[in-house]
């Protein structure tokens, strides 16, 4: 192990994909920017649409599309940095997270007598998301970052839930 420096001299920006999963999930494209060495912000967001269907709907060629999105801001604080070998660095960091997640909400009603399946749109399920934890960021060849994160994450008020989470991703650092 070479002599550790507290923050290292890696790039200030990174872009990639992230997944923070557990009781509720945050995932998507990620942009991260460090300001002055120790403090950084990561922005994670995604949107999706997929076909909502059951066996009945697939058999009859019908189905509805559901969609959703999530967007989060993750302040990070570098706690320790160490260069293990030329081009292989590790950083210990603390993180917090605030964000929003939304999903379109559909319900179905099947009438057995008439053999009809009806859909009704029930609006959006919108939740605030918050979390806190720590992580290790492994950087290979000075440009490939693989973070591993642990912590607690929760969402409220529509679908309240709190639990442990683990996350990872891959980013290009410059």
């Amino acid at each position: 192990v070479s002599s550790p420096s507290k923050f290292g001299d890696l790039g200030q920006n990174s872009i990639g994909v992230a997944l923070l999963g557990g009781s509720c999930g945050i995932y998507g494209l990620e942009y991260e920017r460090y300001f002055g060495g120790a403090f950084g912000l990561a922005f994670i967001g995604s949107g999706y649409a997929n076909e909502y269907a059951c066996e009945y709907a697939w058999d009859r060629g019908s189905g509805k599309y559901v969609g959703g999105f999530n967007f989060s801001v993750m302040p990070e604080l570098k706690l320790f940095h160490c260069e293990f070998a030329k081009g292989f660095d590790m950083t210990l960091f603390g993180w917090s997270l605030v964000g929003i997640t939304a999903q379109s909400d559909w319900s179905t009603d099947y009438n057995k007598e008439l053999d009809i399946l009806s859909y009704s749109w029930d609006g959006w399920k919108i939740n605030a998301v918050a979390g806190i934890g720590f992580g290790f960021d492994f950087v290979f060849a000075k440009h490939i970052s693989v973070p591993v994160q642990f912590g607690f994450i929760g969402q409220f008020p529509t679908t309240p839930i709190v639990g442990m989470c683990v996350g990872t991703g891959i980013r290009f650092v410059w």
Side-chain angles (χ1 to χ4, degrees):
V1 177
S2 64
S3 62
S5 64
K6 189 167 182 183
F7 305 121
D9 60 352
L10 300 173
Q12 296 289 319
N13 300 286
S14 64
I15 191 164
V17 293
L19 169 66
L20 189 60
S23 55
C24 57
I26 298 297
Y27 54 89
L29 297 177
E30 176 184 26
Y31 172 74
E32 181 182 60
R33 168 84 177 153
Y34 269 88
F35 305 93
F39 177 73
L41 287 174
F43 302 92
I44 304 168
S46 69
Y48 68 91
N50 64 335
E51 192 166 11
Y52 175 84
C54 63
E55 187 175 323
Y56 178 91
W58 280 113
D59 290 345
R60 285 154 183 79
S62 64
K64 299 294 180 191
Y65 282 89
V66 297
F69 67 90
N70 72 72
F71 180 77
S72 298
V73 177
M74 183 183 294
E76 297 178 353
L77 182 64
K78 289 183 182 180
L79 303 172
F80 184 77
H81 174 86
C82 186
E83 183 179 344
F84 289 103
K86 188 164 180 72
F88 178 53
D89 295 79
M90 188 276 302
T91 301
L92 170 65
F93 63 95
W95 60 266
S96 61
L97 178 134
V98 293
I100 186 169
T101 182
Q103 178 179 331
S104 59
D105 191 19
W106 290 86
S107 59
T108 59
D109 183 34
Y110 177 61
N111 184 327
K112 287 185 181 182
E113 293 174 8
L114 299 175
D115 192 33
I116 295 174
L117 179 68
S118 61
Y119 295 94
S120 62
W121 187 60
D122 298 332
W124 290 94
K125 283 193 216 175
I126 299 175
N127 285 295
V129 179
I132 190 166
F134 70 96
F136 300 93
D137 194 0
F138 300 96
V139 178
F140 306 94
K142 299 259 184 216
H143 294 289
I144 306 300
S145 165
V146 179
V148 179
Q149 298 168 236
F150 305 93
F152 294 92
I153 192 167
Q155 67 181 23
F156 59 92
T158 308
T159 314
I161 191 165
V162 175
M164 295 181 70
C165 64
V166 63
T168 191
I170 188 164
R171 303 182 291 218
F172 177 78
V173 179
W174 77 94

